[in-house]
Amino acid sequence: MLSVNPLRIVGSSRAVLHSSWLTTNRVLVSKAVTCTAYCMSTSLHRKGTWHSNMNFRAPRKGRELFYFTNQSASPRNCCTSQIKLNCWNCKHLLDKRPAFFCVSCKAVQPPVEGTSYFKIMDCDYTFTLDTQKLQKTYLQLQRSLHPDNFSQKSVKEQEYSESQSALVNKAYSTLQKPLSRGLYMLQLQGMNIEEGTNSGADSNFLMKLMEINEALDEAQTPEEAIMIGRDIKGKLADLTAHIDAALRKGELQAAKAILVQMKYYANIEEKVKEKLSEFL
């Protein structure tokens, strides 16, 4: 069964609260619906059945409009990718996604729901992203979006700056570490690892974890705890290389299994830090 990725056409729930912003862009959403319907009718006319990567669902009252693509589909091939939004303040066309500021009036813009963390942080969609570039982008965005910069602006701009700043923080913290980055990439493919379960980990692996935990509990010196910590770091490094290979090949189930192991080892790594603090 193919996993699906929801791509939202309309703006964020916060933006819905501002009717003026929606009024300006309602015609764009209408065009997107018309364009999507045209794509459907064209495919049905040519083949008699719906073979596109898109699975259309009509919007319910009070609900946002969604379309879904399978993991092999490219959003760039869909006509709705051409949708443009306007600045809520001066109505100037926003020609960049995501747009943090209007190039015309310089007003901070509301976040657009559904924008991936990779796009927010201007990173390539890859597990082995450039973490130095990620940090540089994060610092630049936080300097420009920090709420203190908008204390003398309108209430709307203050709200938008707070939302954008929080979103940038979340995106950075998620992409910064290999484990959370990998989990997020699986989430984008419709796959989640349940909390509080063994998540399919085999019994031999769980037995090995028990032995490591027992050894850590019985450690009598900082050196013993440090040795266990080094071993865990090595295992995490190996798993990081394996998950990169799995994601490159599109082997999502294999990537999920590796991430489960990484979660367990990351948990032990935190326990090592706690153990070392006991010796201080």
Side-chain angles (χ1 to χ4, degrees):
M1 180 177 179
L2 292 174
S3 59
V4 294
N5 293 330
L7 303 177
R8 296 174 185 266
I9 292 180
V10 298
S12 67
S13 57
R14 179 180 289 273
V16 174
L17 297 175
H18 303 284
S19 58
S20 60
W21 191 86
L22 268 182
T23 300
T24 304
N25 295 285
R26 185 178 291 114
V27 63
L28 298 174
V29 176
S30 177
K31 288 179 180 179
V33 174
T34 303
C35 183
T36 304
Y38 172 77
C39 292
M40 289 180 62
S41 62
T42 301
S43 179
L44 287 168
H45 176 72
R46 290 178 178 176
K47 299 185 178 181
T49 56
W50 177 240
H51 291 296
S52 170
N53 288 324
M54 197 173 352
N55 179 15
F56 181 79
R57 185 177 75 187
R60 298 178 182 178
K61 185 176 181 180
R63 297 285 185 88
E64 294 178 350
L65 175 66
F66 290 84
Y67 66 89
F68 296 89
T69 61
N70 67 32
Q71 60 191 6
S72 63
S74 172
R76 289 176 297 180
N77 294 329
C78 179
C79 51
T80 52
S81 65
Q82 302 301 318
I83 296 174
K84 298 293 183 180
L85 300 179
N86 296 85
C87 171
W88 62 269
N89 184 48
C90 71
K91 315 309 178 191
H92 184 80
L93 186 66
L94 302 175
D95 56 359
K96 184 180 179 181
R97 298 285 295 273
F100 296 103
F101 295 92
C102 173
V103 296
S104 178
C105 69
K106 311 303 180 184
V108 64
Q109 300 299 303
V112 177
E113 187 177 355
T115 306
S116 80
Y117 293 162
F118 289 92
K119 283 194 173 184
I120 290 171
M121 302 308 296
D122 192 27
C123 290
D124 293 331
Y125 182 74
T126 175
F127 184 73
T128 55
L129 55 78
D130 187 339
T131 53
Q132 290 186 341
K133 177 186 176 184
L134 174 68
Q135 184 178 35
K136 182 178 179 181
T137 302
Y138 167 71
L139 294 175
Q140 290 175 340
L141 288 174
Q142 282 297 23
R143 276 195 294 267
S144 60
L145 292 168
H146 197 281
D148 288 349
N149 298 335
F150 303 90
S151 59
Q152 303 301 316
K153 299 290 185 177
S154 66
V155 174
K156 185 178 289 189
E157 281 197 81
Q158 291 177 32
E159 291 177 354
Y160 289 161
S161 68
E162 290 175 3
S163 298
Q164 291 281 25
S165 181
L167 184 59
V168 168
N169 277 333
K170 179 64 175 176
Y172 176 70
S173 63
T174 299
L175 299 182
Q176 183 185 26
K177 296 182 179 180
L179 176 57
S180 55
R181 186 190 314 144
L183 291 172
Y184 177 66
M185 292 180 74
L186 280 189
Q187 183 183 341
L188 291 178
Q189 299 296 333
M191 301 179 68
N192 294 290
I193 296 178
E194 303 258 336
E195 294 288 345
T197 67
N198 291 336
S199 302
D202 63 76
S203 57
N204 290 332
F205 174 71
L206 294 175
M207 189 67 70
K208 186 185 298 183
L209 291 175
M210 288 179 61
E211 293 173 356
I212 296 173
N213 276 308
E214 288 175 0
L216 182 60
D217 290 338
E218 296 171 359
Q220 300 296 315
T221 64
E223 289 73 21
E224 290 177 329
I226 289 173
M227 186 175 298
I228 294 174
R230 287 174 180 170
D231 184 53
I232 295 300
K233 283 185 181 295
K235 293 181 183 299
L236 284 171
D238 290 340
L239 290 173
T240 298
H242 290 154
I243 191 175
D244 178 46
L247 288 172
R248 286 178 182 274
K249 295 176 183 178
E251 299 173 350
L252 299 183
Q253 289 297 337
K256 181 178 180 179
I258 296 170
L259 282 167
V260 168
Q261 295 186 25
M262 287 184 70
K263 287 189 71 174
Y264 281 111
Y265 282 128
N267 184 46
I268 295 178
E269 191 175 38
E270 291 301 314
K271 290 182 179 179
V272 169
K273 295 177 182 179
E274 294 175 5
K275 187 70 175 182
L276 288 172
S277 67
E278 295 176 5
F279 293 110
L280 297 178

